[in-house]
């Protein structure tokens, strides 16, 4: 399954096409804990991001992306949980910044959360479906 576009992601692309902003060469992959699927109009501030126990957003370099039709795919990324549990993780997001100051481009919500305990990892193949 591929992540769905958020309103901010669509607005970001429109601004790029219109030449109003410069493209970024690195995007960031993060995990969130919201059990309810975020609304399309939500922003980064609406997500409850995983914290602690070795968590950090992952860099997604544009040079590593592949495009097949209307789907952009990045290489598999592994998040490792060290120490305390993260608890339930319900999805991943792709953003333009390492903090919450940027655009929320897309999310993929898992229908069931994954409980991540200490010393376990989570593998994600980030995808964005453009259609």
């Amino acid at each position: 399954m591929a992540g769905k576009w958020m309103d901010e992601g669509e607005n970001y692309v429109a601004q790029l096409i219109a030449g109003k902003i410069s493209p970024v060469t690195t995007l960031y992959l993060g995990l969130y804990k919201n059990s309810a699927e975020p609304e399309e109009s939500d922003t980064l501030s609406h997500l409850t991001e995983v914290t602690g126990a070795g968590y950090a957003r992952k860099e997604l370099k544009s040079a590593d992306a592949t495009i097949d039709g209307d789907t952009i795919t990045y290489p598999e990324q592994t998040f490792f949980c060290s120490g305390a549990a993260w608890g339930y993780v319900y999805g991943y997001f792709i953003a333009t910044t390492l903090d919450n100051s940027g655009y929320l481009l897309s999310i993929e919500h898992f229908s069931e959360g994954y409980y991540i305990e200490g010393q376990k990892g989570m593998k994600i193949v980030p995808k964005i479906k453009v259609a």
Side-chain angles (χ1 to χ4, degrees):
M1 185 164 200
K4 74 173 185 177
W5 278 101
M6 303 301 278
D7 287 348
E8 278 194 335
E10 294 167 346
N11 293 339
Y12 175 77
V13 171
Q15 290 181 60
L16 281 174
I17 291 170
K20 301 295 182 184
I21 59 175
S22 298
V24 296
T25 57
T26 303
L27 297 175
Y28 297 90
L29 174 69
L31 303 174
Y32 67 86
K33 300 174 65 124
N34 305 56
S35 59
E37 183 171 359
E39 299 292 325
E40 193 171 328
S41 60
D42 284 350
T43 64
L44 287 166
S45 65
H46 292 98
L47 299 179
T48 302
E49 189 168 1
V50 169
T51 59
Y55 172 80
R57 289 185 191 177
K58 302 281 185 183
E59 288 187 357
L60 301 175
K61 303 276 188 198
S62 58
D64 295 334
T66 59
I67 300 173
D68 184 13
D70 62 359
T71 304
I72 303 163
T73 304
Y74 291 91
E76 181 178 81
Q77 303 292 313
T78 303
F79 290 90
F80 287 106
C81 178
S82 61
W86 290 339
Y88 283 95
V89 174
Y90 284 93
Y92 72 79
F93 64 91
I94 298 175
T96 59
T97 56
L98 194 53
D99 60 18
N100 285 353
S101 67
Y103 295 93
L104 175 59
L105 301 181
S106 71
I107 61 109
E108 182 172 346
H109 189 77
F110 311 136
S111 58
E112 295 183 19
Y114 295 93
Y115 190 81
I116 308 296
E117 299 177 52
Q119 308 308 316
K120 288 191 177 177
M122 182 173 203
K123 295 179 185 286
I124 302 285
V125 177
K127 295 182 179 185
I128 303 173
K129 188 171 180 74
V130 179

